[in-house]
Each structure stands twice: as C-alpha cells, then as structure tokens.
Coordinates of all heavy atoms in Angstrom, one line a residue:
M1 N 0.9 -1.2 0.0 CA 0.0 0.0 0.0 C 0.8 1.2 0.0 O 1.9 1.3 0.6 CB -0.9 0.1 1.2 CG -2.0 -0.9 1.4 SD -3.0 -0.5 2.8 CE -4.4 -1.5 2.4
D2 N 0.4 2.2 -0.7 CA 1.2 3.5 -0.7 C 0.9 4.3 0.6 O -0.1 4.0 1.2 CB 1.1 4.3 -1.9 CG -0.4 4.7 -2.3 OD1 -1.2 4.5 -1.4 OD2 -0.7 5.1 -3.4
E3 N 1.6 5.3 0.9 CA 1.3 6.2 2.1 C 0.0 6.8 2.0 O -0.7 6.9 3.1 CB 2.4 7.1 2.2 CG 2.4 8.0 3.4 CD 3.5 9.1 3.5 OE1 4.6 8.7 3.0 OE2 3.2 10.1 4.1
E4 N -0.4 7.2 0.9 CA -1.9 7.9 0.8 C -2.9 7.0 1.1 O -3.9 7.3 1.8 CB -2.1 8.4 -0.6 CG -3.1 9.5 -0.7 CD -3.0 10.2 -2.1 OE1 -2.0 10.7 -2.5 OE2 -4.1 10.0 -2.8
S5 N -2.8 5.7 0.8 CA -3.9 4.7 1.1 C -3.8 4.3 2.5 O -4.8 3.7 3.0 CB -3.9 3.5 0.1 OG -2.8 2.8 0.2
Q6 N -2.6 4.4 3.1 CA -2.4 3.9 4.5 C -3.0 5.1 5.5 O -3.4 4.8 6.6 CB -1.0 3.6 4.8 CG -0.6 2.4 4.2 CD 1.0 2.2 4.5 OE1 1.6 3.0 5.1 NE2 1.5 1.0 4.2
T7 N -3.3 6.2 4.9 CA -3.7 7.3 5.9 C -5.2 7.5 5.6 O -5.7 7.5 4.5 CB -3.0 8.6 5.5 OG1 -1.6 8.4 5.7 CG2 -3.3 9.7 6.5
M8 N -5.9 7.5 6.7 CA -7.4 7.7 6.7 C -7.7 8.8 7.6 O -7.7 8.9 8.7 CB -8.1 6.5 7.1 CG -9.6 6.5 7.0 SD -10.4 4.9 7.4 CE -11.0 5.3 9.1
Q9 N -8.3 9.9 7.0 CA -8.7 11.1 7.7 C -7.5 11.7 8.6 O -7.8 12.0 9.7 CB -9.9 10.8 8.5 CG -11.1 10.6 7.7 CD -12.3 10.3 8.3 OE1 -12.3 10.2 9.6 NE2 -13.5 10.0 7.7
G10 N -6.3 11.7 8.1 CA -5.2 12.2 9.0 C -4.8 11.2 9.9 O -3.7 11.6 10.8
H11 N -5.1 10.0 10.1 CA -4.7 9.0 11.1 C -3.8 7.9 10.3 O -4.3 7.3 9.2 CB -5.8 8.3 11.8 CG -6.6 9.3 12.6 ND1 -5.9 9.8 13.7 CD2 -7.8 9.8 12.5 CE1 -6.9 10.8 14.3 NE2 -8.0 10.8 13.5
E12 N -2.8 7.6 10.8 CA -1.9 6.5 10.1 C -2.5 5.1 10.5 O -3.0 5.0 11.5 CB -0.4 6.5 10.6 CG 0.3 7.8 10.3 CD 0.6 7.8 8.9 OE1 0.8 6.7 8.3 OE2 0.6 8.8 8.2
M13 N -2.6 4.3 9.5 CA -3.2 3.0 9.7 C -2.2 2.1 10.0 O -1.0 2.1 9.4 CB -3.9 2.6 8.3 CG -5.0 3.5 7.8 SD -6.3 3.6 8.9 CE -7.1 2.1 8.8
N14 N -2.4 1.1 11.0 CA -1.4 0.1 11.3 C -1.7 -1.1 10.4 O -2.4 -1.2 9.5 CB -1.6 -0.3 12.8 CG -2.8 -1.0 13.1 OD1 -3.6 -1.5 12.3 ND2 -3.2 -1.0 14.4
E15 N -0.8 -2.2 10.6 CA -0.8 -3.4 9.8 C -2.2 -4.1 9.9 O -2.5 -4.9 9.0 CB 0.3 -4.3 10.2 CG 0.2 -5.0 11.5 CD 0.8 -4.2 12.6 OE1 1.2 -3.0 12.3 OE2 0.8 -4.6 13.8
H16 N -3.0 -3.9 10.8 CA -4.4 -4.6 10.8 C -5.4 -3.7 10.2 O -6.5 -4.0 10.2 CB -4.7 -4.8 12.5 CG -3.7 -5.7 13.1 ND1 -3.6 -6.9 12.8 CD2 -2.8 -5.3 14.0 CE1 -2.6 -7.4 13.6 NE2 -2.1 -6.4 14.4
G17 N -5.1 -2.6 9.6 CA -6.0 -1.8 9.0 C -6.9 -0.8 9.9 O -7.8 -0.3 9.5
T18 N -6.4 -0.7 11.1 CA -7.1 0.2 12.0 C -6.2 1.4 12.3 O -5.0 1.2 12.2 CB -7.4 -0.5 13.4 OG1 -6.2 -1.1 14.1 CG2 -8.4 -1.7 13.1
S19 N -6.8 2.3 12.8 CA -6.0 3.7 13.1 C -5.4 3.4 14.4 O -6.0 3.4 15.5 CB -7.0 4.8 13.0 OG -6.3 5.9 13.5
G20 N -4.1 3.6 14.5 CA -3.3 3.3 15.7 C -3.0 4.7 16.4 O -2.9 4.7 17.5
E21 N -3.1 5.8 15.6 CA -2.7 7.1 16.0 C -3.8 7.6 17.1 O -3.4 8.2 18.0 CB -2.5 8.0 14.9 CG -2.0 9.4 15.5 CD -1.8 10.4 14.1 OE1 -1.1 9.9 13.2 OE2 -2.3 11.5 14.2
S22 N -5.0 7.4 16.6 CA -6.1 7.9 17.4 C -6.2 7.3 18.9 O -6.7 8.0 19.8 CB -7.5 7.8 16.6 OG -7.8 6.5 16.6
H23 N -5.9 6.1 19.0 CA -6.0 5.4 20.3 C -4.6 5.1 20.8 O -4.6 4.7 21.9 CB -6.9 4.1 20.0 CG -8.3 4.4 19.9 ND1 -9.1 5.1 20.7 CD2 -9.0 4.3 18.8 CE1 -10.3 5.3 20.3 NE2 -10.3 4.7 19.1
G24 N -3.7 5.2 20.1 CA -2.3 5.0 20.7 C -1.9 3.6 21.1 O -1.2 3.5 22.0
G25 N -2.6 2.7 20.5 CA -2.3 1.3 21.0 C -3.8 0.6 21.3 O -4.7 1.2 21.2
E26 N -3.5 -0.5 21.8 CA -4.8 -1.3 22.2 C -5.6 -0.7 23.2 O -6.8 -0.7 23.1 CB -4.4 -2.8 22.4 CG -5.6 -3.6 22.5 CD -5.3 -5.1 22.6 OE1 -4.1 -5.5 22.2 OE2 -6.0 -5.8 23.3
H27 N -5.0 -0.3 24.3 CA -5.8 0.1 25.5 C -5.3 1.6 25.8 O -6.0 2.1 26.8 CB -5.7 -0.7 26.7 CG -6.3 -2.0 26.4 ND1 -7.6 -2.2 26.4 CD2 -5.7 -3.3 26.2 CE1 -7.8 -3.5 26.1 NE2 -6.8 -4.1 26.0
E28 N -4.5 2.3 25.2 CA -4.3 3.7 25.5 C -5.2 4.5 24.9 O -5.9 4.2 24.1 CB -2.8 3.9 24.8 CG -1.7 3.3 25.5 CD -0.3 3.5 24.9 OE1 -0.3 4.6 24.3 OE2 0.6 2.6 24.9
G29 N -5.4 5.6 25.5 CA -6.3 6.7 25.0 C -7.6 6.6 25.6 O -8.6 7.2 25.1
H30 N -7.9 5.7 26.5 CA -9.3 5.5 27.0 C -9.5 6.5 28.2 O -10.5 6.5 28.7 CB -9.5 4.1 27.5 CG -9.6 3.1 26.4 ND1 -10.6 3.0 25.6 CD2 -8.7 2.1 25.9 CE1 -10.5 2.1 24.6 NE2 -9.3 1.6 24.7
G31 N -8.5 7.2 28.5 CA -8.7 8.1 29.6 C -9.7 9.2 29.4 O -10.4 9.7 30.2
E32 N -9.9 9.5 28.1 CA -10.9 10.5 27.7 C -12.3 10.0 28.0 O -13.3 10.7 27.9 CB -10.8 10.8 26.2 CG -10.9 9.7 25.2 CD -10.4 10.2 23.9 OE1 -9.5 10.9 23.8 OE2 -10.9 9.6 22.9
H33 N -12.5 8.6 28.1 CA -13.7 8.0 28.3 C -14.1 7.7 29.7 O -15.1 7.2 30.0 CB -13.9 6.7 27.5 CG -13.7 6.8 26.0 ND1 -14.5 7.5 25.3 CD2 -12.6 6.4 25.2 CE1 -14.1 7.6 24.0 NE2 -13.0 6.9 23.9
A34 N -13.1 8.1 30.6 CA -13.3 7.8 32.0 C -14.5 8.5 32.6 O -14.7 9.7 32.2 CB -12.0 8.2 32.9
G35 N -15.3 7.9 33.3 CA -16.5 8.5 34.0 C -17.7 8.4 33.1 O -18.8 8.8 33.6
H36 N -17.6 7.9 32.0 CA -18.8 7.8 31.1 C -19.9 6.9 31.7 O -21.0 7.1 31.6 CB -18.4 7.4 29.7 CG -17.9 8.5 28.8 ND1 -17.8 8.3 27.5 CD2 -17.5 9.7 29.1 CE1 -17.3 9.4 27.0 NE2 -17.0 10.3 28.0
E37 N -19.4 5.7 32.3 CA -20.3 4.8 32.8 C -21.0 5.4 34.0 O -22.3 5.3 34.1 CB -19.6 3.5 33.4 CG -20.5 2.5 34.1 CD -19.7 1.4 34.6 OE1 -18.6 1.2 34.4 OE2 -20.4 0.6 35.3
Q38 N -20.5 6.1 34.8 CA -21.2 6.8 36.0 C -22.0 7.9 35.4 O -23.2 8.0 35.9 CB -20.1 7.5 36.9 CG -19.2 6.5 37.5 CD -18.0 7.2 38.3 OE1 -17.7 8.3 38.0 NE2 -17.4 6.4 39.3
M39 N -21.8 8.6 34.4 CA -22.5 9.6 33.8 C -23.9 9.1 33.2 O -25.0 9.4 33.5 CB -21.8 10.4 32.7 CG -22.8 11.5 32.0 SD -21.9 12.1 30.5 CE -21.8 10.7 29.5
F40 N -23.7 7.9 32.4 CA -24.9 7.2 31.9 C -25.7 6.7 32.9 O -26.9 6.6 32.8 CB -24.4 6.3 30.8 CG -24.1 6.9 29.5 CD1 -22.7 6.9 28.9 CD2 -25.0 7.6 28.8 CE1 -22.4 7.4 27.9 CE2 -24.6 8.2 27.6 CZ -23.3 8.1 27.2
R41 N -25.1 6.0 34.0 CA -25.9 5.5 35.0 C -26.7 6.5 35.8 O -27.9 6.3 36.1 CB -24.9 4.9 36.1 CG -25.6 4.0 37.1 CD -24.6 3.4 38.1 NE -23.6 2.6 37.4 CZ -23.7 1.3 37.1 NH1 -24.7 0.6 37.4 NH2 -22.7 0.8 36.5
R42 N -26.1 7.7 35.9 CA -26.8 8.8 36.6 C -27.9 9.3 35.7 O -29.2 9.5 36.2 CB -25.9 9.9 36.9 CG -26.6 11.0 37.7 CD -25.6 12.2 38.0 NE -25.3 12.9 36.8 CZ -24.0 13.0 36.2 NH1 -23.1 12.4 36.8 NH2 -23.8 13.6 35.1
R43 N -27.7 9.4 34.4 CA -28.8 9.9 33.5 C -29.9 8.8 33.4 O -31.0 9.2 33.3 CB -28.2 10.0 32.1 CG -27.4 11.3 32.0 CD -27.0 11.4 30.5 NE -26.2 12.5 30.5 CZ -25.7 13.0 29.2 NH1 -25.9 12.3 28.2 NH2 -25.0 14.1 29.1
F44 N -29.5 7.5 33.5 CA -30.6 6.4 33.6 C -31.6 6.5 34.6 O -32.8 6.6 34.4 CB -29.9 5.1 33.5 CG -30.9 3.9 33.8 CD1 -31.7 3.6 32.8 CD2 -31.1 3.4 35.1 CE1 -32.6 2.5 33.1 CE2 -32.0 2.5 35.3 CZ -32.8 2.1 34.3
W45 N -31.0 6.8 35.9 CA -32.0 6.9 37.1 C -32.6 8.2 37.0 O -33.9 8.2 37.5 CB -31.0 6.8 38.3 CG -30.6 5.4 38.6 CD1 -29.2 4.9 38.4 CD2 -31.3 4.2 38.9 NE1 -29.2 3.5 38.8 CE2 -30.4 3.1 39.0 CE3 -32.7 4.0 39.0 CZ2 -30.8 1.9 39.1 CZ3 -33.1 2.8 39.3 CH2 -32.2 1.6 39.3
I46 N -32.0 9.3 36.6 CA -32.8 10.5 36.6 C -34.0 10.3 35.6 O -35.2 10.7 35.8 CB -31.9 11.7 36.1 CG1 -31.0 12.0 37.3 CG2 -32.7 12.9 35.7 CD1 -29.9 13.0 36.9
N47 N -33.7 9.7 34.4 CA -34.7 9.7 33.4 C -35.8 8.7 33.8 O -37.0 8.8 33.5 CB -34.2 9.1 32.0 CG -33.4 10.4 31.3 OD1 -33.8 11.4 31.4 ND2 -32.4 10.0 30.6
L48 N -35.4 7.6 34.5 CA -36.4 6.6 35.0 C -37.4 7.4 36.0 O -38.6 7.1 35.9 CB -35.6 5.5 35.8 CG -36.6 4.4 36.4 CD1 -37.4 3.8 35.3 CD2 -35.8 3.5 37.2
V49 N -36.9 8.2 36.8 CA -37.7 8.9 37.9 C -38.6 9.8 37.1 O -39.7 10.0 37.5 CB -36.9 9.6 39.0 CG1 -37.8 10.6 39.7 CG2 -36.1 8.6 39.9
L50 N -38.2 10.5 36.0 CA -38.9 11.4 35.3 C -40.0 10.7 34.4 O -41.0 11.4 34.1 CB -38.0 12.3 34.5 CG -37.2 13.3 35.1 CD1 -36.3 14.0 34.2 CD2 -38.1 14.2 35.9
T51 N -39.7 9.4 34.1 CA -40.7 8.7 33.3 C -41.8 8.3 34.0 O -43.0 8.2 33.5 CB -39.9 7.4 32.6 OG1 -38.9 8.0 31.9 CG2 -40.7 6.7 31.8
I52 N -41.8 8.1 35.3 CA -42.9 7.5 36.2 C -44.2 8.6 36.0 O -45.2 8.1 35.7 CB -42.4 7.4 37.5 CG1 -41.4 6.2 37.6 CG2 -43.7 7.1 38.5 CD1 -40.8 5.9 38.9
P53 N -44.0 9.9 36.2 CA -45.1 10.7 36.0 C -45.7 10.8 34.6 O -46.8 10.9 34.4 CB -44.6 12.2 36.4 CG -43.4 11.9 37.2 CD -42.7 10.5 36.7
I54 N -44.8 10.6 33.7 CA -45.2 10.5 32.3 C -46.1 9.4 32.1 O -47.3 9.5 31.6 CB -44.0 10.4 31.3 CG1 -43.2 11.7 31.3 CG2 -44.4 10.2 29.8 CD1 -41.8 11.5 30.6
L55 N -45.9 8.2 32.6 CA -46.7 7.1 32.4 C -48.0 7.2 33.4 O -49.1 6.9 32.8 CB -46.0 5.8 33.0 CG -44.9 5.4 32.0 CD1 -44.1 4.3 32.7 CD2 -45.4 5.2 30.6
L56 N -47.9 7.8 34.5 CA -49.0 7.8 35.4 C -50.0 8.9 34.9 O -51.3 8.8 34.9 CB -48.6 8.4 36.8 CG -47.8 7.2 37.6 CD1 -47.3 7.9 39.0 CD2 -48.7 6.1 37.7
F57 N -49.6 10.0 34.2 CA -50.5 11.0 33.7 C -50.9 10.7 32.2 O -51.6 11.5 31.6 CB -49.9 12.4 33.7 CG -50.0 12.9 35.2 CD1 -49.0 12.7 36.2 CD2 -51.1 13.7 35.5 CE1 -49.2 13.3 37.3 CE2 -51.3 14.1 36.8 CZ -50.4 14.0 37.7
S58 N -50.5 9.5 31.7 CA -50.9 9.1 30.3 C -52.4 8.7 30.3 O -52.7 7.6 31.0 CB -50.0 8.0 29.9 OG -50.6 7.4 28.6
P59 N -53.2 9.4 29.6 CA -54.7 9.0 29.5 C -54.9 7.5 29.0 O -55.7 6.7 29.6 CB -55.3 9.9 28.5 CG -54.4 11.1 28.5 CD -53.0 10.5 28.8
M60 N -54.0 7.2 28.2 CA -54.2 5.7 27.7 C -53.9 4.7 28.8 O -54.5 3.8 29.0 CB -53.2 5.6 26.4 CG -53.4 4.2 25.7 SD -52.3 3.7 24.4 CE -52.5 5.1 23.3
L61 N -52.8 4.9 29.5 CA -52.4 4.0 30.5 C -53.4 4.0 31.7 O -53.8 3.0 32.3 CB -51.0 4.2 31.2 CG -50.4 3.3 32.2 CD1 -50.1 2.0 31.4 CD2 -49.3 4.0 32.7
Q62 N -54.0 5.0 31.9 CA -54.9 5.3 33.0 C -56.3 4.5 32.5 O -56.9 3.9 33.3 CB -55.5 6.8 33.2 CG -54.4 7.6 33.9 CD -54.7 9.0 34.0 OE1 -55.8 9.3 34.2 NE2 -53.7 9.8 34.3
E63 N -56.6 4.6 31.2 CA -57.7 3.8 30.7 C -57.5 2.3 30.8 O -58.3 1.5 31.2 CB -58.0 4.2 29.4 CG -59.3 3.6 28.8 CD -59.4 4.0 27.3 OE1 -59.1 5.2 26.9 OE2 -60.1 3.2 26.5
W64 N -56.3 1.8 30.4 CA -56.0 0.5 30.3 C -56.0 -0.1 31.8 O -56.5 -1.2 32.0 CB -54.6 0.3 29.8 CG -54.5 0.4 28.2 CD1 -55.5 0.6 27.4 CD2 -53.2 0.5 27.5 NE1 -55.0 0.6 26.1 CE2 -53.7 0.6 26.1 CE3 -51.9 0.3 27.9 CZ2 -52.7 0.7 25.2 CZ3 -51.0 0.3 26.9 CH2 -51.4 0.6 25.6
L65 N -55.5 0.6 32.7 CA -55.3 0.1 34.1 C -56.5 0.4 35.0 O -56.5 0.1 36.2 CB -54.0 0.5 34.7 CG -52.7 0.1 33.9 CD1 -51.5 0.5 34.7 CD2 -52.8 -1.5 33.8
G66 N -57.4 1.2 34.5 CA -58.6 1.7 35.3 C -58.4 2.5 36.5 O -59.0 2.2 37.4
F67 N -57.5 3.4 36.4 CA -57.3 4.4 37.5 C -57.3 5.8 36.8 O -57.2 6.0 35.6 CB -56.1 4.1 38.2 CG -54.8 4.5 37.5 CD1 -54.1 5.7 37.7 CD2 -54.2 3.6 36.6 CE1 -53.1 6.1 37.1 CE2 -52.9 3.9 35.9 CZ -52.4 5.2 36.2
S68 N -57.4 6.8 37.6 CA -57.2 8.2 37.2 C -56.4 9.0 38.2 O -56.5 8.8 39.3 CB -58.6 8.9 36.9 OG -59.4 8.9 38.2
M69 N -55.6 9.8 37.6 CA -54.7 10.7 38.5 C -55.5 12.0 38.9 O -56.5 12.4 38.0 CB -53.5 11.1 37.7 CG -52.5 10.0 37.4 SD -51.9 9.3 38.9 CE -50.8 10.6 39.6
P70 N -55.3 12.5 39.9 CA -55.9 13.7 40.3 C -55.7 14.9 39.3 O -54.7 15.1 38.8 CB -55.4 14.1 41.7 CG -54.1 13.2 42.0 CD -54.3 12.2 40.9
T71 N -56.8 15.7 39.1 CA -56.6 16.8 38.2 C -56.4 18.1 38.9 O -57.0 18.3 40.0 CB -57.9 16.8 37.2 OG1 -59.0 17.1 38.1 CG2 -58.0 15.6 36.3
F72 N -55.7 19.0 38.3 CA -55.3 20.3 38.8 C -55.1 21.1 37.5 O -54.8 20.6 36.6 CB -54.2 20.2 39.9 CG -53.0 19.6 39.4 CD1 -52.0 20.3 38.7 CD2 -52.8 18.2 39.5 CE1 -50.8 19.6 38.1 CE2 -51.6 17.6 39.0 CZ -50.6 18.4 38.4
P73 N -55.0 22.4 37.9 CA -54.8 23.3 36.7 C -53.5 23.0 36.1 O -52.4 23.0 36.8 CB -54.8 24.7 37.3 CG -55.6 24.6 38.5 CD -55.4 23.2 39.0
G74 N -53.3 22.7 34.8 CA -52.1 22.4 34.2 C -51.8 20.8 34.3 O -50.7 20.4 33.8
S75 N -52.6 20.0 34.9 CA -52.3 18.6 34.9 C -52.2 17.9 33.6 O -51.5 16.9 33.5 CB -53.3 18.0 35.8 OG -54.7 17.8 35.2
R76 N -52.9 18.4 32.5 CA -52.9 17.8 31.3 C -51.5 18.0 30.6 O -51.0 17.4 29.6 CB -53.9 18.3 30.4 CG -53.9 19.7 30.0 CD -55.0 20.3 29.2 NE -54.4 21.2 28.2 CZ -55.2 21.6 27.2 NH1 -56.5 21.2 27.1 NH2 -54.6 22.4 26.3
W77 N -50.7 18.9 31.2 CA -49.4 19.2 30.5 C -48.2 18.5 31.4 O -47.1 18.6 30.9 CB -49.0 20.8 30.7 CG -50.0 21.6 29.8 CD1 -51.0 22.3 30.2 CD2 -49.9 21.6 28.3 NE1 -51.7 22.8 29.0 CE2 -51.0 22.4 27.9 CE3 -49.1 21.0 27.4 CZ2 -51.3 22.7 26.6 CZ3 -49.4 21.4 26.1 CH2 -50.5 22.1 25.6
V78 N -48.6 17.8 32.4 CA -47.5 17.2 33.3 C -46.7 16.2 32.4 O -45.5 16.1 32.3 CB -48.1 16.4 34.3 CG1 -47.0 15.6 35.1 CG2 -48.6 17.5 35.4
G79 N -47.3 15.4 31.6 CA -46.7 14.4 30.8 C -45.8 15.0 29.7 O -44.6 14.5 29.5
A80 N -46.3 16.0 29.1 CA -45.5 16.6 28.0 C -44.3 17.3 28.7 O -43.2 17.3 27.9 CB -46.3 17.7 27.3
L81 N -44.5 18.1 29.7 CA -43.3 18.7 30.3 C -42.2 17.7 30.8 O -41.0 18.0 30.7 CB -43.8 19.6 31.5 CG -44.6 20.8 31.1 CD1 -45.2 21.6 32.3 CD2 -43.9 21.8 30.2
F82 N -42.6 16.6 31.5 CA -41.7 15.6 31.8 C -40.9 14.9 30.7 O -39.8 14.8 30.8 CB -42.3 14.7 32.9 CG -42.4 15.1 34.3 CD1 -43.4 16.0 34.7 CD2 -41.4 14.7 35.1 CE1 -43.5 16.4 36.0 CE2 -41.5 15.2 36.5 CZ -42.6 15.9 36.8
A83 N -41.8 14.7 29.7 CA -41.2 14.1 28.3 C -40.2 15.0 27.7 O -39.1 14.6 27.3 CB -42.3 13.7 27.4
F84 N -40.5 16.3 27.8 CA -39.5 17.3 27.3 C -38.3 17.3 28.1 O -37.1 17.3 27.5 CB -40.2 18.7 27.4 CG -39.3 19.8 26.8 CD1 -39.2 20.0 25.5 CD2 -38.7 20.7 27.8 CE1 -38.5 21.0 24.9 CE2 -37.9 21.7 27.2 CZ -37.7 21.8 25.8
A85 N -38.3 17.2 29.4 CA -37.2 17.1 30.4 C -36.3 15.8 30.0 O -35.1 15.9 30.0 CB -37.6 17.2 31.8
V86 N -37.1 14.6 29.8 CA -36.4 13.4 29.5 C -35.7 13.6 28.2 O -34.4 13.1 28.0 CB -37.4 12.2 29.5 CG1 -36.7 11.0 28.9 CG2 -37.8 12.0 30.8
F87 N -36.3 14.2 27.2 CA -35.7 14.3 25.9 C -34.5 15.2 26.0 O -33.4 14.8 25.3 CB -36.6 14.9 24.9 CG -36.2 15.0 23.4 CD1 -36.1 13.9 22.7 CD2 -35.7 16.1 23.0 CE1 -35.7 14.0 21.4 CE2 -35.2 16.3 21.7 CZ -35.2 15.2 20.9
F88 N -34.4 16.2 26.7 CA -33.3 17.1 26.8 C -32.3 16.7 27.9 O -31.1 16.8 28.0 CB -33.7 18.5 26.8 CG -34.1 19.0 25.4 CD1 -35.4 19.2 25.2 CD2 -33.1 19.3 24.4 CE1 -35.8 19.6 23.9 CE2 -33.6 19.7 23.2 CZ -35.0 19.9 23.0

C-alpha cells in the first residue's frame, strides 16, 4: 500500500487496517472515556424517575389500568413537560 492509502482522515493505519494514532495502541487513549459509565448510570436513574409521572399521567395507561390521576390546573401538561425534560 502506498502512504496515501494507509492514511485515513489524517490517522496513520497500522498493519491490521485500524487507526493506531487515534488510540495510541490497544488500550491507550481510554482516559478520555473515564467517567462515562457513571454519567450514563446517573442519566438512566434521573430519566427513570422522570418517566414515572409521564406514564401515570398518560390517559391511555389510565384507561388500560382503570385508574385516574388527580386533576389540577395544568395537569394535562405534566406528561408533556416531563417528556420534554427526559428528551433534553
């Protein structure tokens, strides 16, 4: 292979056809990913807690399970507001 075909988007390719420069070896370069598991775990629990009111205020779920949530001014917007928070 010539040098041009060995270079992919500015990264040198190693003999296995993978970019060795971006990760600097098999396990090097993972420091930038440290803490991701904790971040996603925290996001999961937050989103789970926010999803409960979405389900409880869903008219379809209330009909299926035969219950109704208390109504108050703005109660019809609870599901939409919590869904917006989960999305972002």
Side-chain angles (χ1 to χ4, degrees):
M1 289 186 165
D2 60 11
E3 185 177 327
E4 198 171 298
S5 63
Q6 290 179 351
T7 304
M8 184 174 107
Q9 297 178 355
H11 298 288
E12 293 293 325
M13 303 299 285
N14 63 20
E15 64 274 1
H16 301 291
T18 59
S19 175
E21 184 178 312
S22 65
H23 291 292
E26 189 173 329
H27 292 288
E28 294 177 23
H30 290 285
E32 63 195 35
H33 300 294
H36 282 192
E37 179 183 350
Q38 293 168 345
M39 177 187 66
F40 284 114
R41 188 178 309 267
R42 186 180 69 244
R43 285 184 181 182
F44 168 78
W45 288 112
I46 291 170
N47 286 325
L48 179 65
V49 169
L50 292 174
T51 300
I52 293 169
I54 295 170
L55 294 174
L56 291 177
F57 280 91
S58 167
M60 185 183 307
L61 188 66
Q62 290 178 24
E63 183 182 330
W64 287 351
L65 300 178
F67 74 95
S68 63
M69 292 298 290
T71 58
F72 53 89
S75 64
R76 66 182 221 173
W77 296 104
V78 170
L81 293 174
F82 278 83
F84 183 77
V86 168
F87 184 76
F88 286 104

